[in-house]
Amino acid sequence: MVMSMEMPQGYSQQQLALDQMFKDINPALSARQAGIESSRCYYCYDAPCVTACPSKINIPSFIASIHADDLTGAAKTIYSENIMGGSCARVCPTEILCEQACVRNKEQEKAPVKIGLLQRHATDNAQFVGHPFKRAAATGKTIAVVGAGPAGLSCAHRLALLGNEVEIFEAADKPGGLNEYGIAKYKLTDNFAQKEVEFILGIGGITLHTNKALGKDVSLQQLKDQFDAVFLAIGLQDVPCLKLVNESHPHILNAVDYIKELRQATDISELDVPKDSAVVIGAGNTAIDMACQLKRLGTEEVTLVYRRGTEHMSATVHEQQIAKDHEVRIKTWARPEQINLDDDGSLRSLTFRKTYSDNGQLKDSEESFEINCSAVFKAVGQKFAYPQAEQIIPTISNGKIATFGQQVTSIDGVYAGGDCTSEGQDLTVEAVQQGKLAALAIHHQLSQEA
Amino acid sequence: MADLSIEFAGIKSPNPFWLASAPPTDKAYNVERAFEAGWGGVVWKTLGEDPAAVNVSSRYSAIYDNNGEVSGFNNIELITDRSLEVNLKEIEAVKKAWPDRALVVSLMVPCEEESWKKIVKLVEQTGADGLELNFGCPHGMPERGMGAAVGQVPEYVEMVTRWCKTYSKLPVIVKLTPNITDIRFSARAAKRGGADAVSAINTINSITGIDLDQMSARPMVDGKSTHGGYCGPAVKPIALNMVAEIARDPETAGLPISGIGGIGNWRDAAEFISLGSGSVQVCTAAMIYGFRIVTEMQQGLSNWMDSKGYKKISDFQGLAVPNTTDWKYLNMNYKVVADIDNDKCIGCGRCYIACEDTSHQAIDRKVREDGSVAFEVIEDKCVGCNLCQITCPVDSCIKMEQKDADKPYMNWTQDPRNPYKDAS
C-alpha cells in the first residue's frame, strides 16, 4: 500500500509541531539498506521465524522477493497471511517474536535479520494495481463483526475475500481500535491507522457503521437474528483502579485515556501536559508508551514505578530500553500507597511502599518514600467488561470471552477474537491472526450449512 | 620478509603486481600514480595506428553481489583513443623516471607485417621493457580484423608473434583471448611463433544484464548496446582454469604466464602464481578501489609467504600445477562423507533441503523435544558431494571427513568398473 507522505489538507502548524514531536521512533529502511538487509536472510527451510510469527507470514519468501526487487510480491505474501502487515511491521514486538527466532541470533554476530523493518519496507513501497486481492464469488452470506480493531478488520477482510458480505459495528467514531487510539504516537505516524483501514476496506463487501456500540446501539440478539454469523472483537474496555483515597482526583489519569487523547489531538495546547513531574504506574508497554510520550511532550521528570523487578516487567527489554533512551526513571519494587494533596486540593505527591519478593510472594517492607508529582498515569492493565445491557452473554473465563478452538464461543454462530478473548498475549498480530482464523472458521461453517 | 621481486620473461619487476592494459594505464598521469602507489609494473594501454580509436558513451556496466559490491564488470571501450605520438612520448618519459618498474607496451595494429614492423620499432625506441600483443579485445576491434579476430585463429597468432620477434629484440608477451574452445591451441601457436610469454585471460564476451524498462542491454549507448568484455572477480575461475591448462600442457609447459582475471587481493594473486603464473595483472579491482590496493596486496602476499617459509615468488610458483590433473587420474578409492556439528548448527535447514531436493537425501531432520531441530548425515547415502557444506552459512559446521583411508590409490584407467579400461 503506497501511502502519500504529502500533508493532508487543512494541516495546521500546531499539528505539524505535534508530528515533529512524535517522529517515527524506528525509521524506515532505505531501498539500499533493505537490499543489503534482505540478503542477510538465509531463506531457512521450515524457518523458525515463521513458526514464531503468530500470523504465520512466510517470512523467507517475502524477504526473497524484496531481494529480487519485487516489493509488490513481498507485500502480497505478507498480506495474504496478515492484512495488517503494515501496522504489525511497526508495532509488533519483533524482538520476542520473529527476530528472536532468527537463526542469525545463534551465529557469532548475534544479530537477527531486521524482519520488522523489511516487512515495513515491502508494505510501504509495494505498487499494487487496485487492491491486491480479488473477492471470491458471492456466497450470499452476511456476517456481523463487532469492533473495528485489528481482530475485527482482519476477520472482515478475510470474510469479504471469501465472498461474504460483512457489516462492522464500531463503538468509536473512527475504525482502527488500538491502532487508532492506543498505540504510542511515535510508533504509528502519519495517520497510518486510517490509511490502513482504508486499504483493508478497499477489498469491497464491507460496510462500516461507526458510533454503534454493543449493548447500546445494537444487541447481540439482534445481530444473531439478522446475520448468518457474528464475530465479537470488542477488545478491552475497562481499567482497574488502585483502590486509593483521592484516586478520583482530576490529575490521577488512566494512561489509555491520555494516549487516546494524545493520538487524536491536532494541537498540543489541547493537552494537559504536566510540566515538572509525572509518575507512571505499571510495567507493560502502555506504561512505557505513556512515560516516553510524556518526555516528548516536555514533562521534566517522569518516573515509572513498578511493584516488582525489571525482570518481571511485561514490557520487553527492547521497550525498557526505549524508556531509558527517553531518560525515564524506572523505579522497581514499590507500590503506590497514598495520594497526597495540598491544602488547595492540588496533587502534590505519591507515597510508595517498598516491596520485596518472599519466595515469589510480594511483600511490603518497612520503608516508604514519596515522589513529588503533578500528575499520575495509571497503566496497570486493561480489563474486559461485557456490556451490562446485553441479554445474552458468552461464557467468560479468566475475565474474558472463552473460546473453544477456531474462535468459537459458547453461543452458537458467535465467534470471538482479539483482546476480548483469553487467548494469547494481547498483541496486535495475535488479534489479526484470531480474526483471520475466525473468518476461515465462519466461512467453513456457513459453506457446510449451505 | 619475503622477496617479492620477479624476473618475468627477462623483465624485472620489484613485485609481481602489474596493472593490465586498460584505462588505468592509458596515460602518464595514471601510470605515475600507480608507480607511486607501489605497482611493480604496468602494461600500457594498447597502442594502435593513427588515427586513434574513437570511443562511445557510456562504456561500462557491472553485476553486483548481495552486498552491492561489483562482482562482474563489462566494458565496450576500444584501444587507446589518444594519438600514437603522445603515447610514445609519455612512455619514454615514464620509463626514464621509473627505471626499476616494468613497463610493457600493449599493441594492436592490422594483421599486416609492415604495420607490426613499424610499431614495434617505435616502441623499442621508448626504452620500454617488453611488448604485449593484444589478441584478445572482444569488441569493436575484431570487426576491423584485430584483437580477438586474430587471437581466435592460432595461425594468425603464430604469424604475428613471429613478425614481432623478427623485428624487435624486446620480450614478446602474447595476450590470449578466452573466447575460444581450447586455450591451449592459441597458447601453443604463440609459443611456436617465438613468444617469450603469454598472458591470460583477456575479457570474455558478455552481456551483463538487460534494462527491462528500456529493453536494452547495458552499457547503453542511446538506447542500444553491444556485447562487451567481462572481467572482475566473477571471471577468476575461468581464468584460473585457462592458466592451469597452459601450465600443464606438455607443449607449453614452462612458458612464462602472466595471470589475469579477477585478481583483487594477495590471495587471488597467490592462486594464479601457484598455478604457474610468473606475474599477475590487475585491472578491475584497481578501477573499483583505486591504485592504493596494491599496498594490501604486497603486504598480504609477503605475510603469507613468510608464514609458509617461501622466501621468493618462484618458491611456490606452479606448486599447484602437478595437482591439477585429468579426471581419469583422480583416486576412485578416496571417499569423504559430510559430518554436521550440531553444536555449531544454527538450524537454518539449508543443508537438509538442498540434499533432500537436489542431491541424495542423505540428511536426516530430527525435531527435538524442545521443538528445535537437529540434522544428521546418513552416511550410507552421502556421496561426499560437498553441497551441504556449500549451503551451510556457518564456518566449519559441516566437515567432509575421509572414510576408507586404508584403500590404495586407484584411478579410472585402473578401475574394474571402467568398461573401456583396456582402451584408456
Side-chain angles (χ1 to χ4, degrees):
Chain A
M1 146 181 59
V2 179
M3 294 190 168
S4 164
M5 287 299 144
E6 277 168 38
M7 237 189 271
Q9 281 192 336
Y11 212 77
S12 68
Q13 283 300 312
Q14 287 72 21
Q15 173 83 66
L16 193 64
L18 207 52
D19 278 5
Q20 283 296 317
M21 212 173 264
F22 291 99
K23 269 199 217 151
D24 213 322
I25 192 166
N26 208 357
L29 296 173
S30 70
R32 174 125 181 130
Q33 284 173 309
I36 292 172
E37 191 59 27
S38 62
S39 75
R40 295 184 65 242
C41 173
Y42 284 138
Y43 197 70
C44 292
Y45 173 75
D46 198 9
C49 56
V50 181
T51 312
C53 173
S55 65
K56 304 294 169 228
I57 294 171
N58 189 341
I59 295 163
S61 173
F62 93 69
I63 295 180
S65 293
I66 292 176
H67 194 243
D69 222 3
D70 176 19
L71 299 182
T72 306
K76 191 156 181 184
T77 302
I78 294 161
Y79 290 143
S80 63
E81 292 298 343
N82 181 337
I83 197 64
M84 303 189 89
S87 53
C88 284
R90 289 163 166 82
V91 305
C92 255
T94 52
E95 67 277 7
I96 56 163
L97 298 172
C98 53
E99 289 178 20
Q100 188 178 61
C102 179
V103 299
R104 282 221 175 222
N105 288 307
K106 294 188 196 162
E107 283 196 325
Q108 282 182 335
E109 59 178 345
K110 300 207 184 305
V113 174
K114 294 182 177 122
I115 300 170
L117 283 171
L118 286 171
Q119 178 164 322
R120 174 168 172 185
H121 183 72
T123 52
D124 278 2
N125 297 294
Q127 302 273 357
F128 291 108
V129 181
H131 199 274
F133 300 103
K134 294 279 162 287
R135 294 184 66 195
T139 59
K141 304 285 181 188
T142 312
I143 296 104
V145 169
V146 187
L153 288 166
S154 163
C155 182
H157 173 83
R158 182 62 57 149
L159 284 168
L161 177 66
L162 295 167
N164 304 288
E165 291 293 314
V166 183
E167 290 194 36
I168 307 181
F169 300 88
E170 165 59 45
D173 56 5
K174 279 190 202 174
L178 202 69
N179 281 358
E180 176 57 36
Y181 296 106
I183 301 278
K185 208 172 167 70
Y186 47 71
K187 288 181 182 167
L188 279 177
T189 58
D190 298 313
N191 202 24
F192 188 88
Q194 288 314 305
K195 291 175 189 168
E196 190 174 53
V197 170
E198 239 170 76
F199 162 72
I200 293 169
L201 299 184
I203 191 157
I206 304 172
T207 312
L208 175 68
H209 309 281
T210 51
N211 297 308
K212 290 277 178 282
L214 186 71
K216 200 172 117 209
D217 308 298
V218 287
S219 73
L220 185 54
Q221 188 60 58
Q222 281 171 344
L223 298 176
K224 264 179 68 64
D225 294 344
Q226 283 172 28
F227 294 90
D228 295 299
V230 181
F231 178 63
L232 295 175
I234 54 178
L236 302 173
Q237 305 77 18
D238 209 1
V239 283
C241 62
L242 302 173
K243 294 177 185 148
L244 298 179
V245 180
N246 294 327
E247 199 173 333
S248 57
H249 187 277
H251 285 146
I252 311 280
L253 298 155
N254 283 318
V256 283
D257 295 338
Y258 195 85
I259 290 173
K260 187 170 172 179
E261 217 177 300
L262 171 60
R263 295 244 357 164
Q264 300 305 311
T266 54
D267 185 341
I268 190 164
S269 64
E270 291 170 16
L271 293 161
D272 191 3
V273 181
K275 202 175 159 296
D276 301 324
S277 63
V279 166
V280 177
I281 297 165
N285 289 352
T286 304
I288 303 275
D289 281 1
M290 188 64 240
C292 295
Q293 292 187 118
L294 283 171
K295 282 302 258 189
R296 288 191 179 209
L297 285 168
T299 306
E300 194 74 28
E301 286 281 334
V302 178
T303 312
L304 190 149
V305 189
Y306 177 45
R307 60 200 174 113
R308 288 181 181 268
T310 43
E311 66 275 23
H312 305 106
M313 289 174 79
S314 66
T316 63
V317 173
H318 173 75
E319 289 285 332
Q320 292 178 34
Q321 186 57 46
I322 294 175
K324 286 171 192 161
D325 292 346
H326 279 82
E327 295 178 6
V328 169
R329 190 157 70 113
I330 298 179
K331 196 109 180 87
T332 52
W333 299 108
R335 64 168 187 82
E337 195 174 47
Q338 196 176 300
I339 297 166
N340 309 307
L341 306 183
D342 276 336
D343 294 343
D344 63 357
S346 61
L347 179 64
R348 187 184 72 228
S349 68
L350 228 54
T351 303
F352 289 90
R353 170 69 52 186
K354 284 198 177 180
T355 57
Y356 65 97
S357 168
D358 183 13
N359 280 329
Q361 220 173 358
L362 195 67
K363 294 252 171 89
D364 281 355
S365 76
E366 298 295 308
E367 287 176 82
S368 65
F369 63 90
E370 218 176 301
I371 300 177
N372 287 337
C373 55
S374 50
V376 173
F377 297 87
K378 294 182 283 177
V380 289
Q382 283 165 268
K383 279 202 311 194
F384 176 76
Y386 198 72
Q388 284 182 343
E390 278 297 289
Q391 298 295 312
I392 45 173
I393 305 166
T395 299
I396 306 289
S397 87
N398 293 325
K400 291 180 170 188
I401 298 175
T403 50
F404 307 93
Q406 298 199 305
Q407 313 304 131
V408 174
T409 69
S410 59
I411 305 170
D412 193 32
V414 177
Y415 299 73
D419 291 3
C420 67
T421 66
S422 46
E423 289 177 68
Q425 308 172 67
D426 294 356
L427 300 173
T428 304
V429 63
E430 287 175 327
V432 173
Q433 176 70 356
Q434 289 165 22
K436 179 177 87 184
L437 293 178
L440 294 171
I442 293 167
H443 182 75
H444 181 71
Q445 181 63 32
L446 295 181
S447 320
Q448 284 195 328
E449 284 170 12
Chain B
M1 222 184 96
D3 174 12
L4 296 185
S5 72
I6 56 159
E7 185 171 340
F8 179 84
I11 303 165
K12 285 189 175 147
S13 169
N15 64 56
F17 301 107
W18 294 2
L19 282 168
S21 164
T25 61
D26 189 33
K27 53 175 166 326
Y29 178 84
N30 304 86
V31 172
E32 299 236 3
R33 281 180 68 82
F35 285 162
E36 277 160 22
W39 291 87
V42 298
V43 181
W44 200 279
K45 180 163 161 117
T46 310
L47 311 185
E49 287 182 337
D50 284 333
V54 179
N55 277 302
V56 291
S57 151
S58 58
R59 301 172 203 177
Y60 306 146
S61 65
I63 61 168
Y64 302 89
D65 68 12
N66 281 346
N67 291 319
E69 287 289 329
V70 171
S71 59
F73 194 83
N74 173 71
N75 81 88
I76 57 168
E77 206 170 275
L78 303 181
I79 61 172
T80 183
D81 50 16
R82 304 180 330 132
S83 81
L84 182 60
E85 193 194 344
V86 169
N87 273 307
L88 289 170
K89 252 187 209 155
E90 288 185 1
I91 289 166
E92 189 173 358
V94 170
K95 182 64 210 181
K96 249 185 210 134
W98 298 87
D100 72 317
R101 308 299 171 96
L103 200 166
V104 176
V105 179
S106 174
L107 299 173
M108 185 196 292
V109 290
C111 241
E112 287 156 16
E113 196 168 353
E114 275 310 302
S115 297
W116 284 98
K117 182 179 174 182
K118 192 174 150 199
I119 202 161
V120 298
K121 294 280 182 206
L122 288 171
V123 173
E124 213 168 278
Q125 285 161 17
T126 63
D129 299 304
L131 307 173
E132 186 182 79
L133 313 187
N134 182 344
F135 294 158
C137 182
H139 43 260
M141 305 314 285
E143 291 96 312
R144 308 173 196 191
M146 291 182 263
V150 180
Q152 285 161 343
V153 185
E155 290 76 16
Y156 294 169
V157 172
E158 183 180 343
M159 176 179 76
V160 178
T161 307
R162 187 164 286 126
W163 291 339
C164 294
K165 283 307 291 178
T166 305
Y167 299 114
S168 173
K169 292 187 288 293
L170 291 177
V172 170
I173 305 167
V174 174
K175 188 166 179 178
L176 303 174
T177 174
N179 298 311
I180 36 79
T181 39
D182 191 336
I183 194 84
R184 291 176 301 182
F185 289 86
S186 36
R188 287 169 189 161
K191 194 180 181 194
R192 281 196 302 275
D196 298 279
V198 290
S199 51
I201 59 175
N202 206 312
T203 54
I204 306 169
N205 276 339
S206 71
I207 286 177
T208 46
I210 305 296
D211 183 317
L212 289 174
D213 295 318
Q214 303 198 47
M215 277 298 166
S216 166
R218 299 187 190 91
M220 238 178 282
V221 181
D222 193 19
K224 300 250 186 307
S225 191
T226 185
H227 67 84
Y230 199 42
C231 53
V235 311
K236 191 180 102 174
I238 296 160
L240 281 175
N241 172 57
M242 290 189 167
V243 166
E245 288 290 290
I246 298 166
R248 67 189 194 91
D249 179 27
E251 282 192 44
T252 49
L255 181 66
I257 306 166
S258 188
I260 314 170
I263 297 163
N265 57 43
W266 72 266
R267 184 181 289 276
D268 300 327
E271 288 175 22
F272 272 87
I273 295 168
S274 75
L275 278 178
S277 300
S279 70
V280 291
Q281 296 186 30
V282 176
C283 173
T284 312
M287 289 182 75
I288 303 295
Y289 303 109
F291 292 140
R292 60 202 168 133
I293 57 166
V294 77
T295 309
E296 292 79 31
M297 289 176 138
Q298 292 181 77
Q299 195 176 292
L301 186 61
S302 171
N303 287 337
W304 171 77
M305 285 172 66
D306 287 347
S307 75
K308 293 283 179 187
Y310 299 130
K311 293 197 163 43
K312 49 190 193 303
I313 297 288
S314 55
D315 285 354
F316 74 96
Q317 184 184 351
L319 289 190
V321 177
N323 293 328
T324 311
T325 183
D326 294 344
W327 191 93
K328 65 184 172 193
Y329 299 124
L330 300 177
N331 184 2
M332 308 305 292
N333 276 341
Y334 181 75
K335 183 172 167 62
V336 289
V337 166
D339 181 65
I340 301 169
D341 181 346
N342 267 301
D343 290 336
K344 287 191 173 138
C345 176
I346 57 171
C348 70
R350 284 167 40 148
C351 59
Y352 168 78
I353 197 62
C355 189
E356 192 68 14
D357 279 358
T358 70
S359 279
H360 294 80
Q361 298 77 47
I363 297 178
D364 194 14
R365 182 174 183 273
K366 286 180 179 154
V367 180
R368 298 194 189 100
E369 266 178 28
D370 65 354
S372 67
V373 286
F375 299 99
E376 239 169 60
V377 174
I378 306 163
E379 259 194 39
D380 292 347
K381 288 187 174 180
C382 178
V383 300
C385 73
N386 279 16
L387 181 63
C388 56
Q389 194 186 34
I390 290 165
T391 60
C392 180
V394 181
D395 277 349
S396 62
C397 173
I398 300 184
K399 289 198 185 84
M400 306 305 293
E401 297 201 327
Q402 194 186 342
K403 300 283 163 186
D404 304 333
D406 50 336
K407 284 194 181 171
Y409 169 85
M410 177 192 65
N411 67 45
W412 186 238
T413 67
Q414 303 157 334
D415 195 319
R417 291 167 296 187
N418 177 1
Y420 308 107
K421 185 162 71 86
D422 297 331
S424 64

